[in-house]
Amino acid sequence: MAKAVDNTVLDGAFAIVDNAIRMAVCSAEPANYAGIAAVTLATATVSGADFTVADGDTSGRKVTIAAKSGVSITASGTATHIVLHDNSSTRLYVTTCPSQALVSGGTVDIGSWKIEIADPA
């Protein structure tokens, strides 16, 4: 028997991610929402316009998160993770990023990136 999922199901997951209003550059993966502040090096504001849903590169669906330039660095450390969160209670998505040393008072550019959910196989 074949497996299938309608695009609206996958897009529903991205509709939750789209609730993010902050993208934090972090020095480690925060264990939960409360742990974000302790590892945040820089924070960019995001909105629905920063999320573009489309067909996946291989299958399924993807959401591309827009690049952010000149984001103020508020703490020194080595960036290793990016966290999307709702700025109130939920760590919506965590991913790794290329390791980069950041110095407080400077700025950092965050390139565009994507989240992809494949069709079932």
Side-chain angles (χ1 to χ4, degrees):
M1 174 180 252
K3 299 176 185 177
V5 63
D6 191 78
N7 284 346
T8 59
V9 174
L10 303 180
D11 291 353
F14 297 139
I16 301 299
V17 172
D18 190 272
N19 288 328
I21 61 171
R22 298 279 187 271
M23 180 166 43
V25 178
C26 298
S27 60
E29 178 184 355
N32 51 39
Y33 176 80
I36 294 171
V39 295
T40 295
L41 304 174
T43 304
T45 300
V46 293
S47 69
D50 291 310
F51 299 88
T52 304
V53 177
D55 285 335
D57 292 338
T58 304
S59 73
R61 302 287 280 167
K62 68 179 176 183
V63 61
T64 301
I65 297 89
K68 295 292 181 177
S69 298
V71 178
S72 296
I73 301 168
T74 56
S76 296
T78 301
T80 59
H81 289 77
I82 303 290
V83 178
L84 293 173
H85 64 89
D86 65 3
N87 205 38
S88 65
S89 64
T90 306
R91 179 186 72 154
L92 296 166
Y93 196 86
V94 179
T95 191
T96 57
C97 64
S99 182
Q100 179 179 355
L102 303 181
V103 178
S104 182
T107 61
V108 63
D109 295 335
I110 305 168
S112 68
W113 54 286
K114 66 185 174 184
I115 303 167
E116 188 161 348
I117 303 174
D119 285 331

